[in-house]
């Protein structure tokens, strides 16, 4: 009878032990991301488009100012075939070469501009949200900038400084970061007064580390959302401008200009119009969906 | 024996902008806190307890009066070195453990934050050892350093908050209702922990609470605050034996009694400011008996003196 029960030691520490596996933020982000089949498909599409656009033009030597086959009438308006996968255009150029050269321009311009806009926007926005004095000044400037349409600023800038690859990037970024900075400022203000930031202040944490450790980690998902929105916006802005004949010089291959040139053949040779348009759409949509899914995945609320 | 004062608050007023004017959250606050004691600040929700705590730790700017820590006025612009000293020596345990931890940082980072700011270690090994030691002091485990706050229970989170303040080796700790957000079953655990740490380290506490039953067992002296004004201040025993101000008495009448018969017979008192007639005689904060202060005017003081006899 007395053997049935035994005294055991109480282990106070045992109740403190956490049985759950270790949480890792980035691992959880990727796990959540790869749960979405659509996102995986779009990531593959975006990677393929990106790789071809970066590599193929290096070998094709496509030059929009140079049409070597212009005298060979048999090479004009060839529909897509085994030789020219996307067919040829009105001057005998391979549409395949032209489209990828144009895509390369679009991607480069949008990536570089987005990188500049986001870096400036986040850096200025974080400081803007933190400093009350800076806020007063910046709000005045922002009210002016925000009330001028973005496309108008870009067009006016280009009119003043002239056309070209880097000039277009300059025009797209001169005020392009402002909207992002304002958005980040508002986000920072929302997070800034949360209690754990007061704690950090009471521990003497300098502002710079408050921004990098207390504020920005909470904004990962917001920043990725901005990124996934900014890239397609710049791509479409670039093509609209090129479509209108503004921004890039004739020496730079451009999807927008191509589409505008081929619009006149939309009935007779529809592939000339539709192929560049669908590549343009695929670039924007795939980057957007990948970005959006990644943004959702980087919100820890989705990790449970 | 003359006791050493660590913190003095003199004629403190704290106000917040409200509409066109200002809202005065705390007025005429006067008290001293002695080294090594637990000084409780008790009052109902919205009475200005957190506001006082936060102005001592210099989160809230003050509009009048002085806060003096170790003989030095601290609610004015300090030199960088003085500022560092005050930050290190006064720490706060925050009211809500759910919002006072950085969810995107590991426990290691959270506990080390102050150590890093003050470079209180010579090597990474020393820093890690200090973190583990302070976790152990609050009953947490070494394996917790790589965890994130959301993996902990409310009581554990509050203990993380305590460890984070303790590791700074402060002299004064402002504990803002450290147990009010916790489950009743673990309140005693956290209170006992704070008591033990106080004895080990010779800490001084400013303990904020909203009812007298909690502070009765842990505080040496109690200040009662009503609508931003301290109405009574006394030793814990004196305050419970001879409560003078009607607001203190109403608070005491709300303290549950362990004896069911007297609990049933107890009369709940409701306090309103209409009880006082301050049209002729102005009230002030008077030391009516040694160490026993009350906010009253001359006729009321007469009455209170009668009570004390
Ligand atoms: N930053 C602020 N801006 C404006 N008003 C404030 C601010 N902080 C506090 N107040 C006001 O000051 C008064 C006192 O608030 P305080 O937080 O000090 O109360 P409390 O005694 O700590 O209450 P609780 O027990 O609910 O924590 C309240 O009326 C509150 O609305
Ligand atoms: Mg409070």
């Amino acid at each position: 009878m007395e053997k049935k029960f035994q005294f055991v030691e109480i282990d106070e520490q045992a109740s403190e032990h956490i049985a759950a596996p270790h949480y890792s933020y980035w691992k959880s982000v990727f796990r959540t991301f790869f749960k979405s089949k659509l996102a995986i498909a779009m990531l593959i599409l975006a990677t393929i488009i990106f790789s071809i656009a970066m590599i193929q033009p290096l070998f094709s030597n496509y030059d929009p100012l140079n049409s070597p086959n212009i005298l060979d009438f048999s090479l004009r308006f060839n529909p897509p075939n085994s030789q020219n996968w996307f067919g040829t255009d009105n001057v005998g150029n391979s549409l395949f070469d032209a489209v990828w050269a144009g895509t390369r321009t679009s991607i480069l311009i949008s990536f570089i501009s987005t990188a500049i806009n986001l870096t400036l926007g986040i850096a200025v926005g974080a400081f803007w949200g933190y400093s009350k004095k800076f806020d007063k000044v910046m709000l005045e400037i922002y009210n002016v900038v925000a009330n001028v349409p973005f496309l108008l600023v870009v067009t006016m800038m280009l009119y003043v400084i002239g056309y070209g690859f880097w000039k277009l990037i300059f025009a797209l970024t001169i005020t392009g970061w402002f909207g992002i900075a304002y958005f980040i400022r508002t986000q920072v203000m929302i997070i800034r007064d949360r209690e754990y930031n007061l704690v950090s202040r009471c521990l003497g944490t300098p502002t710079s580390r408050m921004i990098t450790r207390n504020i920005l980690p909470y904004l990962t998902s917001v920043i990725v959302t901005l990124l996934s929105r900014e890239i397609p916006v710049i791509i479409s802005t670039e093509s609209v401008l090129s479509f209108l004949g503004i921004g890039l010089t004739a020496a730079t291959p451009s999807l927008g200009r191509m589409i505008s040139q081929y619009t006149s053949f939309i009935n007779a040779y529809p592939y000339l119009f539709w192929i560049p348009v669908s590549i343009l759409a695929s670039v924007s949509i795939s980057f957007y969906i990948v970005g959006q899914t990644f943004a959702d995945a980087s919100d820890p609320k989705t990790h449970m | 024996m003359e006791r050493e004062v660590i913190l003095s608050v003199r004629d403190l007023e704290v106000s917040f902008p409200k509409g066109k004017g200002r809202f005065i959250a705390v007025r005429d606050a006067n008290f001293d806190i002695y080294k090594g004691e637990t000084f409780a600040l008790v009052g109902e929700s919205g009475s200005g307890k957190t506001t006082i705590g936060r102005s001592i730790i210099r989160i809230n700017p003050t509009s009048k009066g002085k806060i003096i820590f170790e003989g030095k006025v601290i609610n004015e612009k300090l030199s960088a070195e003085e500022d560092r000293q005050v930050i290190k020596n006064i720490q706060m345990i925050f009211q809500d453990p759910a919002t006072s931890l950085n969810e995107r940082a590991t426990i290691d980072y959270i506990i080390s934050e102050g150590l890093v700011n003050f470079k209180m270690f010579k090597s990474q090994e020393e820093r890690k050892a200090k973190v583990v030691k302070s976790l152990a002091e609050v009953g947490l485990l070494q394996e917790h350093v790589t965890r994130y706050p959301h993996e902990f229970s409310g009581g554990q989170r509050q203990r993380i908050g305590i460890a984070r303040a303790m590791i700074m080796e402060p002299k004064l700790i402002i504990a803002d209702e450290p147990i009010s957000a916790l489950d009743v079953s673990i309140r005693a655990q956290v209170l006992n922990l704070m008591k033990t740490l106080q004895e080990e380290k010779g800490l001084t506490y400013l303990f904020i609470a909203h009812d007298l039953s909690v502070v009765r067992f842990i505080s040496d002296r109690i200040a009662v605050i009503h609508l931003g004004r301290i109405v009574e201040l006394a030793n814990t025993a004196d305050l419970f034996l001879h409560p003078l101000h009607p607001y203190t008495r109403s608070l005491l009448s709300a303290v549950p009694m362990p004896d069911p018969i007297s609990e049933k017979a107890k009369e709940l008192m409701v306090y309103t400011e209409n009880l006082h007639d301050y049209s002729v005689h102005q009230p002030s904060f008077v030391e009516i008996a040694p160490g026993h202060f009350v906010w009253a005017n001359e006729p009321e003081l007469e009455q209170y003196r009668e009570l004390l006899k």
Side-chain angles (χ1 to χ4, degrees), chain A residues 17 22 200 205 217-218 300, chain B residues 54 103-104 113 143 146-147:
Chain A
H17 179 75
H22 271 78
S200 289
T205 306
Y218 283 76
Chain B
R54 288 192 174 179
E103 299 293 334
R104 296 294 175 83
E113 194 169 340
E143 64 187 51
T146 53
R147 298 282 181 171

Side-chain angles (χ1 to χ4, degrees), chain B residues 163-273:
Chain B
R164 162 177 66 189
M166 293 291 173
I167 205 168
M168 300 291 282
E169 298 163 17
K171 293 179 177 161
L172 173 66
I173 288 192
I174 300 166
D176 189 359
E177 306 202 35
I179 57 167
S180 68
L182 301 181
D183 201 79
V184 183
S185 58
I186 47 172
R187 288 185 172 183
Q189 180 197 23
V190 171
L191 279 187
N192 287 336
L193 170 68
M194 288 182 62
K195 200 81 209 155
T196 316
L197 289 171
Q198 178 175 40
E199 280 157 15
E200 276 171 19
K201 296 168 193 280
L203 289 166
T204 309
Y205 285 140
L206 168 56
F207 192 99
I208 295 172
H210 64 252
D211 68 297
L212 282 166
S213 53
V214 173
V215 297
R216 175 168 203 172
F217 302 101
I218 55 158
S219 51
D220 301 298
R221 291 187 308 134
I222 299 176
V224 177
I225 179 169
H226 176 67
L227 292 181
R229 169 167 281 132
I230 295 180
V231 294
E232 192 160 358
L233 191 171
N235 278 325
T236 305
D238 289 343
L239 194 87
F240 277 84
L241 278 175
H242 310 290
L244 296 177
H245 198 275
Y247 179 67
T248 312
R249 279 186 269 155
S250 80
L251 273 187
L252 274 174
S253 78
V255 174
M257 284 189 245
D259 169 23
I261 297 163
S262 45
E263 173 73 22
K264 222 173 191 173
K266 189 176 77 179
E267 227 184 297
L268 271 182
M269 289 198 274
V270 182
Y271 171 73
T272 72
E273 288 197 328

Side-chain angles (χ1 to χ4, degrees), chain A residues 103-223:
Chain A
T103 310
R104 181 186 158 87
T105 311
S106 292
I107 291 181
L108 283 180
I109 288 182
S110 78
F111 275 38
I112 296 172
S113 309
T114 302
I116 296 174
N117 281 345
L118 234 64
T119 313
L120 270 176
I122 293 167
V124 176
F127 189 64
W128 186 353
Y130 238 93
S131 158
K132 293 203 170 80
K133 274 184 219 140
F134 192 55
D135 187 40
K136 284 215 180 78
V137 183
M138 287 299 282
L139 273 185
E140 299 291 327
I141 306 175
Y142 175 74
N143 285 336
V144 177
V145 175
N147 281 309
V148 186
F150 180 56
L151 219 51
L152 190 65
V153 175
V154 177
T155 327
M156 272 175 4
M157 251 351 268
L158 289 168
Y159 188 74
V160 175
I161 60 173
Y163 297 172
F165 182 86
W166 290 106
K167 287 176 176 167
L168 178 57
I169 289 178
F170 182 77
L172 287 167
T173 51
I174 181 94
T175 62
W177 57 272
F178 241 103
I180 294 173
Y182 181 75
F183 185 77
I184 294 287
R185 164 227 180 234
T186 314
Q187 296 294 316
V188 169
M189 285 186 157
I190 293 170
I191 301 175
R192 187 189 61 190
D193 293 326
R194 290 200 191 151
E195 205 154 72
Y196 71 91
N197 291 309
L198 296 180
V199 176
S200 289
R201 250 174 73 193
C202 296
L203 290 166
T205 306
T207 308
S208 57
R209 191 134 38 82
M210 299 266 260
I211 291 175
T212 55
R213 295 302 304 249
N214 290 21
I215 310 275
L216 289 182
Y218 283 76
L219 295 182
T220 328
S221 138
V222 164
I223 289 171

